[in-house]
Amino acid sequence: MMSATQFPSQQVGDFTITAISDGNLSASLDLLSNIEPSDAARMEDEAGVKDTSAIHINCYLVRGGGRTVLIDAGAGGFKQWGGLLASNLPQAGVQPSGVNTILLTHAHPDHVAGLLDKNGESVFPNAELVVHKREIEFWQDDGNLSRASERARGNFLMARQIFENYRDRLRLFEGGEVSPGLTAVPLPGHTAGHTGYRLESGGRNLLIWGDIVHFPEIQIPRPDVSIAFDLDPILAAETRARLLDLVSSERLLIAGMHLRERGFGRIERKGQSYSLVYEDE
């Protein structure tokens, strides 16, 4: 059995943050905009990526101050995506009933479907679900649902099912500190309320940046490349460029839901481009 120490972990002051893999989802490089699929495939190949269609899914466990916080809950096997969180979480030393708070970066299925089991019941019976107000408003809006593509309709129905299931312990925020040591960082473009979380403790900092990238080997060197999952691809690219500039100049430790299994890294600026250097434990 895998021990807790075998999951990538970082100590940030009084907090331990652990990257827990939920597995992969599959998506074509054709979904990327502003780049030829052949160029995208070449970048993946040069970075040593074997399966160019695999997008890895991370969830992040934050323990400290007597609380256990989970940031995003993976895909839960929705569309055969992910689903490993359920077995990996106990191997990291946490039972679902021991999670106090779940923070969502946004409500796409690969981040929220793991909140429900195959019977549609809540997986985390004691957890408060914390979501940006704009995110909830977007998915609950019937006008948005009526305009959605067939593919996106399923995303709406999944988000609504989850919000309904957790309605008695749903907390909305618009900014500020959302849990001790964790502050919301607005990262607009990917979804209406897409949010990162900055963890600060003991003079150390970490930014969990949600879905700033899906294909890190492509979108970090080429922040102008967006993906079809972005609600506003131009705004998403602007946010990505701004954030890469910020975290590279600050040498800020980052965590991202679609970084590879190593889960943590730093961004280095190379001329007008950027590269990701994974952080070892």
Side-chain angles (χ1 to χ4, degrees):
M1 181 164 150
M2 186 184 281
S3 75
T5 55
Q6 286 175 280
F7 292 97
S9 265
Q10 295 287 330
Q11 194 69 28
V12 178
D14 298 331
F15 295 88
T16 303
I17 180 162
T18 306
I20 307 217
S21 174
D22 187 53
N24 293 320
L25 64 87
S26 189
S28 167
L29 295 175
D30 294 343
L31 294 172
L32 295 170
S33 58
N34 222 19
I35 190 170
E36 291 295 328
S38 58
D39 290 336
R42 177 183 50 75
M43 291 177 78
E44 292 275 82
D45 187 53
E46 287 174 357
V49 176
K50 298 286 183 282
D51 181 358
T52 59
S53 67
I55 295 177
H56 184 251
I57 305 168
N58 282 314
C59 309
Y60 290 90
L61 191 62
V62 182
R63 286 173 278 192
R67 299 191 64 74
T68 299
V69 176
L70 183 65
I71 304 178
D72 287 354
F78 178 79
K79 294 187 179 175
Q80 282 72 57
W81 295 346
L84 300 183
L85 178 69
S87 56
N88 280 340
L89 195 60
Q91 290 180 29
V94 173
Q95 296 300 324
S97 59
V99 175
N100 310 120
T101 303
I102 297 162
L103 304 180
L104 294 185
T105 61
H106 63 299
H108 278 156
D110 54 313
H111 302 261
V112 300
L115 292 169
L116 301 180
D117 65 19
K118 61 181 183 297
N119 300 316
E121 299 297 321
S122 166
V123 170
F124 300 93
N126 303 315
E128 178 184 41
L129 185 63
V130 183
V131 193
H132 195 290
K133 183 169 177 278
R134 274 200 301 272
E135 193 69 8
I136 292 261
E137 288 170 349
F138 175 84
W139 296 106
Q140 300 284 37
D141 186 292
D142 288 337
N144 290 337
L145 173 61
S146 70
R147 289 187 291 273
S149 67
E150 196 54 46
R151 176 182 65 82
R153 281 183 69 82
N155 297 355
F156 276 87
L157 301 178
M158 171 60 72
R160 288 176 175 207
Q161 186 184 357
I162 283 152
F163 297 149
E164 175 62 22
N165 197 289
Y166 284 79
R167 70 186 180 281
D168 296 337
R169 43 211 168 94
L170 198 59
R171 173 160 60 94
L172 308 188
F173 67 87
E174 293 187 69
E177 189 173 70
V178 291
S179 184
L182 284 157
T183 303
V185 178
L187 298 172
H190 181 55
T191 64
H194 183 235
T195 301
Y197 298 99
R198 188 162 181 151
L199 177 61
E200 297 188 51
S201 177
R204 291 206 69 202
N205 286 268
L206 165 75
L207 176 67
I208 301 107
W209 75 9
D211 279 13
I212 287 296
V213 298
H214 290 75
F215 291 98
E217 299 83 7
I218 298 168
Q219 292 175 285
I220 289 172
R222 287 280 311 276
D224 58 317
V225 173
S226 286
I227 195 164
F229 306 142
D230 292 333
L231 181 66
D232 183 336
I234 293 169
L235 182 57
E238 289 171 356
T239 296
R240 184 163 41 255
R242 177 175 54 82
L243 199 64
L244 289 168
D245 180 52
L246 174 77
V247 300
S248 62
S249 58
E250 280 194 34
R251 295 285 298 145
L252 189 60
L253 184 65
I254 55 139
M257 281 50 198
H258 300 306
L259 301 185
R260 301 294 173 183
E261 284 189 52
R262 288 162 72 184
F264 300 94
R266 294 183 197 270
I267 301 297
E268 292 187 349
R269 184 191 286 275
K270 295 189 170 182
Q272 293 303 303
S273 183
Y274 301 92
S275 65
L276 170 66
V277 178
Y278 282 102
E279 186 91 350
D280 292 321
E281 297 171 54

